[in-house]
PDB file of all heavy atoms in Angstrom:
ATOM      1  N   ILE A 975      87.977 116.700 125.593  1.00 98.00           N
ATOM      2  CA  ILE A 975      89.183 116.477 124.804  1.00 98.00           C
ATOM      3  C   ILE A 975      89.113 115.187 123.983  1.00 98.00           C
ATOM      4  O   ILE A 975      89.881 114.995 123.038  1.00 98.00           O
ATOM      5  CB  ILE A 975      90.443 116.453 125.690  1.00 98.00           C
ATOM      6  CG1 ILE A 975      90.379 115.311 126.707  1.00 98.00           C
ATOM      7  CG2 ILE A 975      90.633 117.796 126.372  1.00 98.00           C
ATOM      8  CD1 ILE A 975      91.673 115.085 127.469  1.00 98.00           C
ATOM      9  N   TYR A 976      88.184 114.290 124.336  1.00 98.00           N
ATOM     10  CA  TYR A 976      88.023 113.040 123.595  1.00 98.00           C
ATOM     11  C   TYR A 976      87.127 113.213 122.368  1.00 98.00           C
ATOM     12  O   TYR A 976      86.969 112.296 121.576  1.00 98.00           O
ATOM     13  CB  TYR A 976      87.442 111.954 124.507  1.00 98.00           C
ATOM     14  CG  TYR A 976      88.339 111.618 125.675  1.00 98.00           C
ATOM     15  CD1 TYR A 976      88.162 112.240 126.913  1.00 98.00           C
ATOM     16  CD2 TYR A 976      89.378 110.701 125.549  1.00 98.00           C
ATOM     17  CE1 TYR A 976      88.987 111.942 127.991  1.00 98.00           C
ATOM     18  CE2 TYR A 976      90.208 110.394 126.618  1.00 98.00           C
ATOM     19  CZ  TYR A 976      90.005 111.021 127.838  1.00 98.00           C
ATOM     20  OH  TYR A 976      90.832 110.718 128.894  1.00 98.00           O
ATOM     21  N   GLY A 977      86.519 114.406 122.246  1.00 98.00           N
ATOM     22  CA  GLY A 977      85.640 114.668 121.112  1.00 98.00           C
ATOM     23  C   GLY A 977      84.185 114.404 121.399  1.00 98.00           C
ATOM     24  O   GLY A 977      83.336 114.601 120.524  1.00 98.00           O
ATOM     25  N   GLU A 978      83.857 113.946 122.604  1.00 98.00           N
ATOM     26  CA  GLU A 978      82.446 113.709 122.937  1.00 98.00           C
ATOM     27  C   GLU A 978      81.740 115.048 123.099  1.00 98.00           C
ATOM     28  O   GLU A 978      82.268 115.976 123.721  1.00 98.00           O
ATOM     29  CB  GLU A 978      82.324 112.895 124.216  1.00 98.00           C
ATOM     30  CG  GLU A 978      80.875 112.577 124.564  1.00 98.00           C
ATOM     31  CD  GLU A 978      80.725 111.759 125.830  1.00 98.00           C
ATOM     32  OE1 GLU A 978      81.760 111.424 126.449  1.00 98.00           O
ATOM     33  OE2 GLU A 978      79.578 111.460 126.206  1.00 98.00           O
ATOM     34  N   GLN A 979      80.531 115.138 122.539  1.00 98.00           N
ATOM     35  CA  GLN A 979      79.775 116.392 122.582  1.00 98.00           C
ATOM     36  C   GLN A 979      78.470 116.212 123.333  1.00 98.00           C
ATOM     37  O   GLN A 979      77.772 115.214 123.169  1.00 98.00           O
ATOM     38  CB  GLN A 979      79.492 116.890 121.162  1.00 98.00           C
ATOM     39  CG  GLN A 979      80.756 117.279 120.404  1.00 98.00           C
ATOM     40  CD  GLN A 979      80.475 117.789 119.015  1.00 98.00           C
ATOM     41  OE1 GLN A 979      79.523 117.336 118.366  1.00 98.00           O
ATOM     42  NE2 GLN A 979      81.292 118.701 118.531  1.00 98.00           N
ATOM     43  N   LEU A 980      78.156 117.195 124.167  1.00 98.00           N
ATOM     44  CA  LEU A 980      76.916 117.213 124.936  1.00 98.00           C
ATOM     45  C   LEU A 980      76.167 118.498 124.608  1.00 98.00           C
ATOM     46  O   LEU A 980      76.750 119.578 124.604  1.00 98.00           O
ATOM     47  CB  LEU A 980      77.215 117.165 126.441  1.00 98.00           C
ATOM     48  CG  LEU A 980      78.056 115.977 126.935  1.00 98.00           C
ATOM     49  CD1 LEU A 980      78.363 116.141 128.422  1.00 98.00           C
ATOM     50  CD2 LEU A 980      77.350 114.661 126.672  1.00 98.00           C
ATOM     51  N   THR A 981      74.886 118.381 124.336  1.00 98.00           N
ATOM     52  CA  THR A 981      74.066 119.554 124.033  1.00 98.00           C
ATOM     53  C   THR A 981      73.190 119.876 125.236  1.00 98.00           C
ATOM     54  O   THR A 981      72.535 118.990 125.797  1.00 98.00           O
ATOM     55  CB  THR A 981      73.186 119.296 122.797  1.00 98.00           C
ATOM     56  OG1 THR A 981      74.030 118.976 121.689  1.00 98.00           O
ATOM     57  CG2 THR A 981      72.350 120.525 122.448  1.00 98.00           C
ATOM     58  N   VAL A 982      73.207 121.138 125.623  1.00 97.00           N
ATOM     59  CA  VAL A 982      72.453 121.598 126.793  1.00 97.00           C
ATOM     60  C   VAL A 982      71.499 122.705 126.358  1.00 97.00           C
ATOM     61  O   VAL A 982      71.905 123.657 125.688  1.00 97.00           O
ATOM     62  CB  VAL A 982      73.401 122.123 127.895  1.00 97.00           C
ATOM     63  CG1 VAL A 982      72.606 122.631 129.087  1.00 97.00           C
ATOM     64  CG2 VAL A 982      74.374 121.031 128.323  1.00 97.00           C
ATOM     65  N   ASP A 983      70.253 122.578 126.739  1.00 95.00           N
ATOM     66  CA  ASP A 983      69.245 123.586 126.390  1.00 95.00           C
ATOM     67  C   ASP A 983      68.530 124.031 127.662  1.00 95.00           C
ATOM     68  O   ASP A 983      68.560 123.337 128.686  1.00 95.00           O
ATOM     69  CB  ASP A 983      68.243 122.999 125.397  1.00 95.00           C
ATOM     70  CG  ASP A 983      67.511 124.084 124.623  1.00 95.00           C
ATOM     71  OD1 ASP A 983      67.725 125.283 124.920  1.00 95.00           O
ATOM     72  OD2 ASP A 983      66.715 123.738 123.740  1.00 95.00           O
ATOM     73  N   GLY A 984      67.881 125.182 127.584  1.00 91.00           N
ATOM     74  CA  GLY A 984      67.073 125.653 128.704  1.00 91.00           C
ATOM     75  C   GLY A 984      67.853 126.291 129.834  1.00 91.00           C
ATOM     76  O   GLY A 984      67.356 126.368 130.968  1.00 91.00           O
ATOM     77  N   ILE A 985      69.067 126.756 129.558  1.00 96.00           N
ATOM     78  CA  ILE A 985      69.862 127.439 130.581  1.00 96.00           C
ATOM     79  C   ILE A 985      69.662 128.949 130.404  1.00 96.00           C
ATOM     80  O   ILE A 985      70.146 129.552 129.446  1.00 96.00           O
ATOM     81  CB  ILE A 985      71.353 127.088 130.472  1.00 96.00           C
ATOM     82  CG1 ILE A 985      71.558 125.576 130.590  1.00 96.00           C
ATOM     83  CG2 ILE A 985      72.153 127.828 131.540  1.00 96.00           C
ATOM     84  CD1 ILE A 985      71.143 124.996 131.924  1.00 96.00           C
ATOM     85  N   ALA A 986      68.941 129.524 131.304  1.00 97.00           N
ATOM     86  CA  ALA A 986      68.641 130.955 131.213  1.00 97.00           C
ATOM     87  C   ALA A 986      69.850 131.783 131.651  1.00 97.00           C
ATOM     88  O   ALA A 986      70.758 131.292 132.322  1.00 97.00           O
ATOM     89  CB  ALA A 986      67.440 131.297 132.088  1.00 97.00           C
ATOM     90  N   ILE A 987      69.868 133.054 131.270  1.00 98.00           N
ATOM     91  CA  ILE A 987      70.956 133.960 131.665  1.00 98.00           C
ATOM     92  C   ILE A 987      70.692 134.421 133.091  1.00 98.00           C
ATOM     93  O   ILE A 987      69.934 135.370 133.341  1.00 98.00           O
ATOM     94  CB  ILE A 987      71.045 135.171 130.710  1.00 98.00           C
ATOM     95  CG1 ILE A 987      71.253 134.695 129.280  1.00 98.00           C
ATOM     96  CG2 ILE A 987      72.184 136.094 131.130  1.00 98.00           C
ATOM     97  CD1 ILE A 987      71.246 135.816 128.258  1.00 98.00           C
TER      98      ILE A 987
END
Side-chain angles (χ1 to χ4, degrees):
I975 62 171
Y976 298 94
E978 182 180 0
Q979 295 181 327
L980 303 175
T981 302
V982 178
D983 201 356
I985 302 297
I987 302 176

